[in-house]
Amino acid sequence: MMPQDKLKILLFGGTRHTGLHFMQQALTAGDQITAIMRDPSSITYRHLNLKVVKDNALELQTLESEFVGKDVIISSLGPNGADFRKPTIICSQGLRNMMDGMKKYGVKRIMCISAGGLDTNPEMGFVVKLIARLLQFILKEPYQDLKIMEAEIKASGLDWTI
């Protein structure tokens, strides 16, 4: 694909924060986006190259056809803010469903939003490690889901970016 080619993107989680900003920038660049949203009424952003589909990443049977002809899948899924202490599978199971659709329809590229502080390493400074461990404690449930998501995407054989 040449740099001037416009992408056909299937986006999960574009209603707020990073997903919404990504969507706006991609549309401004001329890309085409099909956005999968649990609640399409929660987005007021409109664009000629934006198609919004009501569905749930945990129940993708109804939108398999949306994978056809896509260049890349973008996932900015995450738990609702009020539920950050509850167990969640939105990222890990959502990714599994996306990868199933990708394999079935030949989509090779996926990009997923994760979280800083998910892992620590010896090269990090003391303060950074302390903050990361504090985040891991406070956000234990969503971080566990993200760790599973990251491990599965890394083992997928797909062209991925986290």
Side-chain angles (χ1 to χ4, degrees):
M1 181 172 291
M2 300 299 293
Q4 68 274 14
D5 292 342
K6 300 305 178 183
L7 295 173
K8 292 182 179 136
I9 300 167
L10 185 56
L11 171 66
F12 292 83
T15 56
R16 56 193 178 113
H17 307 301
T18 306
L20 179 60
H21 293 296
F22 168 81
M23 180 174 56
Q24 291 170 332
Q25 289 179 18
L27 290 167
T28 298
D31 297 325
Q32 295 177 0
I33 294 185
T34 300
I36 308 304
M37 299 183 180
R38 286 177 285 194
D39 180 13
S41 67
S42 64
I43 182 169
T44 58
Y45 189 79
R46 301 289 180 252
H47 193 282
L48 183 61
N49 286 338
L50 174 63
K51 175 183 176 185
V52 178
V53 176
K54 179 180 174 38
D55 210 319
N56 185 329
L58 298 178
E59 303 166 5
L60 288 181
Q61 316 80 285
T62 59
L63 63 84
E64 279 194 353
S65 64
E66 299 300 341
F67 285 86
V68 175
K70 297 302 187 282
D71 299 306
V72 61
I73 307 299
I74 306 288
S75 174
S76 65
L77 294 175
N80 293 336
D83 296 337
F84 74 90
R85 289 196 175 122
K86 295 179 182 176
T88 182
I89 58 169
I90 188 67
C91 296
S92 57
Q93 185 59 52
L95 173 75
R96 285 183 206 110
N97 291 342
M98 287 175 226
M99 290 191 307
D100 288 346
M102 292 173 70
K103 289 174 184 172
K104 187 171 182 178
Y105 293 98
V107 182
K108 302 291 185 206
R109 183 88 174 103
I110 186 166
M111 300 173 72
C112 293
I113 306 294
S114 189
L118 199 58
D119 294 310
T120 59
N121 66 58
E123 296 165 11
M124 294 177 158
F126 172 76
V127 173
V128 174
K129 281 195 255 186
L130 180 65
I131 293 169
R133 293 220 169 98
L134 181 62
L135 285 172
Q136 291 169 6
F137 176 75
I138 294 170
L139 301 171
K140 178 183 175 185
E141 298 299 340
Y143 270 39
Q144 182 60 35
D145 188 38
L146 289 170
K147 284 182 181 183
I148 294 167
M149 177 197 77
E150 286 193 15
E152 290 186 11
I153 196 171
K154 288 174 184 176
S156 70
L158 294 167
D159 181 9
W160 56 267
T161 300
I162 297 174

